[in-house]
Amino acid sequence: MDTGPARASRLFALGGAALFAALAMWAAWRLSPTIDERDHIAFGREVLAGTCRQASMQKMAVTALNAAPQAAADSLGIRLSPREALFVARLPTILAAVLLLLLVRAVAARRYGRAAGDFALFLAVFCPTTLAHGSLATNDLFAAASMFGAVLAFETWLRRRTWQWWAASAFAAALALLSKQTALLLPAACLVMVALVRRAGPAPDRAFPARAARAVLGTTLYVAVVLLAVNAAYAFRGSFHTVAEYRGFVNGLEESRVYTTLADHAGALPVPLPKAFAEGIAAGALMNKWGTGHPPVYLLGELNQKGFRHYYAVAAALKWPLPFLLVLVASLLALLPRAARSRWRRETVLLLPPLLVFVFLSFTTAQIGVRYLLPMLPFLHVFCGGALARAFARGRTLRAGILLLGVWQVVSVLSYHPHQIAYFNEIVPDRRLSWRYLADSNLDWGQNRRDLEEYLSANRGRPIHFRPPQPVSGTVLVDANSLTGTTCPPEVYAWLRRGPPPVRHVAYSWLVFEVPPGDPADR
């Protein structure tokens, strides 16, 4: 029966999804190409054409979805301007983001009730990280959506044991692997879920040898399906090269003790992966070991090529909305009392994947943006949605507090739109000073060049020193990455960092300084 609350909840879901889509399309049209987008789209075109042979850093096959609209337009003889081509390339990401929001709502409603679904959807819609990267032609949003789907589908399959959920889990796992290397954490999450389900379920009705044989057969078939999908996405190009052959494919691979041991003892073993995919994994591991392949990591005024163990903790504290962080902390604390400990096993499915992602990334060296934490957020939105629903049902005081937090989050997030990439919460009250905390894709990812052009056009008759290579006086305009030393030697703009703060910003990532007459280099 279609009750009033159920109808209202569906309308809320449709309205939330429509609002997110509108905001994302606004940003997709407004923002200039980010640093990585053209490479992602070009790699996607190669995948579509079946010509992808070499690894391309973190470029993954999923971006074929972003390349598809422009490829279709080309095949139909439709000419698109560069801005239109970028916009249509971003549309598949927006669609995937909307589907992710609806999935978050559905999962939360199934686990905790309709109200939890609505709260989870609210948190997902007004999430600056999702808004920022749900409107770009990159792989971050696809990775978050597919990892979330893979974990939840696998959990459902463990409980229901139907072939439909088995297939959904395998498909989502393959899509996750085709989206980002972080998805290699999925097997660990799945093993823990298997252990939890076994412990919570009834006693097995089969002898151990039969159970073991069934488990081995099921796992082998699952892995085979996932590998088949991954190979098919790359048109089987370079599949089944031997372990030894990769010595000539990836520079520096012979310096890896793990690889040399494997090559010495199993060099003739074929690798059941496309060459470009396997190369990407190997190159990524080496770059993480050496701290190469990315600019210096910038955090709180310090630069370090190999990153900081506390980088992502600080990044989340500064770039996730404070209302969401308060709800998250309160939700975790609510699990501590003895009476709530029975929920731990149930919540592990939602808390384990974010924990694995966070710990793994804290030990990587390519710490260049809070966007890497995006796979954590769908799980945390569902978890917090359940906590908010329980709190909302306990009385007027808590309801009033939740409503105030909601208004705060909406105002905070939308005050930055469409520049969600540069979002910082209220811990950073002066938006001209965001560069003192974080840089790179947290703030300046090349997304604001149109705003820069508009500023320069509006100030055409005014003398402006644009990224001056040496100290000068007068009006100085410089981007945050250059200022912090992530894209140029840090000493180049040390004189600006030591002086008075910028007087204004242009779309947050470009800073305008008024340097007084004198010798700026003496400061």
Side-chain angles (χ1 to χ4, degrees):
M1 184 176 179
D2 190 15
T3 63
R7 188 182 303 111
S9 180
R10 281 200 301 274
L11 290 174
F12 180 80
L14 292 174
L19 175 61
F20 181 93
L23 292 172
M25 285 192 287
W26 176 12
W29 180 254
R30 172 65 185 173
L31 299 182
S32 55
T34 58
I35 292 172
D36 287 357
E37 280 187 283
R38 288 194 176 97
D39 288 342
H40 278 294
I41 297 170
F43 189 79
R45 293 294 293 263
E46 290 183 10
V47 173
L48 287 177
T51 59
C52 177
R53 297 182 179 180
Q54 294 185 337
S56 181
M57 297 290 289
Q58 283 286 341
K59 311 304 181 290
M60 304 294 282
V62 73
T63 52
L65 297 174
N66 298 107
Q70 186 175 353
D74 292 344
S75 65
L76 295 172
I78 301 173
R79 293 187 177 182
L80 300 176
S81 68
R83 188 171 186 178
E84 291 169 339
L86 179 63
F87 178 75
V88 298
R90 288 169 167 175
L91 289 178
T93 309
I94 296 174
L95 176 59
V98 170
L99 294 176
L100 173 60
L101 300 185
L102 296 176
L103 180 60
V104 164
R105 175 185 176 271
V107 171
R110 187 190 69 187
R111 298 177 76 91
Y112 307 114
R114 186 186 304 122
D118 293 339
F119 280 118
L121 176 66
F122 175 87
L123 293 173
V125 169
F126 294 102
C127 172
T129 311
T130 307
L131 272 170
H133 299 282
S135 57
L136 301 178
T138 57
N139 59 342
D140 295 294
L141 189 284
F142 290 111
S146 54
M147 288 180 69
F148 181 66
V151 170
L152 272 298
F154 186 79
E155 183 214 15
T156 305
W157 171 71
L158 285 176
R159 299 188 185 281
R160 299 188 181 180
R161 299 289 178 168
T162 64
W163 70 268
Q164 292 93 337
W165 284 109
W166 182 92
S169 174
F171 173 78
L175 184 59
L177 289 171
L178 292 168
S179 300
K180 211 170 184 71
Q181 292 179 12
T182 313
L184 293 171
L185 296 173
L186 284 175
C190 291
L191 284 175
V192 173
M193 283 190 288
V194 169
L196 290 173
V197 170
R198 292 294 186 195
R199 185 175 178 183
D205 58 355
R206 296 182 179 87
F208 176 76
R211 297 201 314 272
R214 184 183 176 92
V216 170
L217 178 61
T219 302
T220 302
L221 184 59
Y222 188 92
V223 171
V225 170
V226 172
L227 290 177
L228 177 64
V230 170
N231 281 278
Y234 286 88
F236 291 87
R237 282 193 171 271
S239 299
F240 303 107
H241 278 291
T242 65
V243 172
E245 286 176 317
Y246 276 88
R247 192 188 305 269
F249 297 156
V250 182
N251 291 331
L253 192 57
E254 65 278 359
E255 298 181 26
S256 169
R257 186 177 301 176
V258 174
Y259 172 76
T260 53
T261 301
L262 187 61
D264 291 342
H265 294 85
L269 188 70
V271 179
L273 291 168
K275 176 174 173 285
F277 184 87
E279 275 184 329
I281 295 174
L286 291 174
M287 289 177 182
N288 181 66
K289 177 182 177 181
W290 298 329
T292 58
H294 58 82
V297 178
Y298 178 82
L299 179 66
L300 303 177
E302 295 184 34
L303 290 167
N304 189 323
Q305 191 64 40
K306 291 197 171 184
F308 307 85
R309 291 288 179 264
H310 58 293
Y311 177 90
Y312 284 107
V314 175
L318 293 174
K319 289 189 64 66
W320 287 357
L322 281 180
F324 168 63
L325 289 172
L326 291 173
V327 171
L328 177 59
V329 171
S331 303
L332 292 171
L333 292 176
L335 293 175
L336 295 181
R338 186 183 301 273
R341 291 181 185 174
S342 61
R343 299 204 333 260
W344 269 105
R345 188 177 298 158
R346 177 182 175 85
E347 307 295 12
T348 299
V349 175
L350 297 176
L351 296 178
L352 177 67
L355 179 63
L356 288 174
V357 170
F358 183 82
V359 172
F360 170 76
L361 292 175
S362 295
F363 286 87
T364 59
T365 60
Q367 299 170 344
I368 53 178
V370 75
R371 61 191 173 91
Y372 281 71
L373 298 182
L374 190 54
M376 297 173 60
L377 290 170
F379 298 95
L380 297 180
H381 289 155
V382 172
F383 173 68
C384 290
L388 284 170
R390 289 189 294 271
F392 198 78
R394 290 180 181 173
R396 293 182 179 179
T397 302
L398 284 176
R399 289 180 186 178
I402 290 171
L403 290 174
L404 287 174
L405 288 175
V407 172
W408 178 5
Q409 178 140 336
V410 170
V411 172
S412 177
V413 172
L414 294 186
S415 68
Y416 271 86
H417 201 73
H419 303 293
Q420 301 295 344
I421 289 176
Y423 175 86
F424 281 79
N425 63 34
E426 288 71 24
I427 293 177
V428 183
D430 191 339
R431 300 182 182 187
R432 299 171 302 171
L433 303 180
S434 301
W435 60 271
R436 290 184 176 176
Y437 301 86
L438 294 164
D440 210 289
S441 64
N442 292 302
L443 178 61
D444 181 7
W445 211 20
Q447 75 277 9
N448 294 330
R449 283 189 290 273
R450 290 195 182 99
D451 298 88
L452 171 66
E453 292 167 2
E454 291 173 2
Y455 175 81
L456 293 174
S457 178
N459 293 271
R460 187 173 294 130
R462 180 182 176 188
I464 296 176
H465 301 284
F466 181 74
R467 284 199 294 213
Q470 65 279 323
V472 295
S473 59
T475 302
V476 174
L477 179 62
V478 65
D479 60 286
N481 284 342
S482 296
L483 181 63
T484 56
T486 57
T487 55
C488 69
E491 60 271 13
V492 172
Y493 291 108
W495 58 279
L496 267 183
R497 297 194 299 272
R498 290 194 300 264
V503 295
R504 66 181 62 87
H505 63 76
V506 178
Y508 308 105
S509 63
W510 291 90
L511 293 312
V512 181
F513 293 82
E514 293 294 344
V515 182
D519 186 0
D522 290 339
R523 292 187 296 166

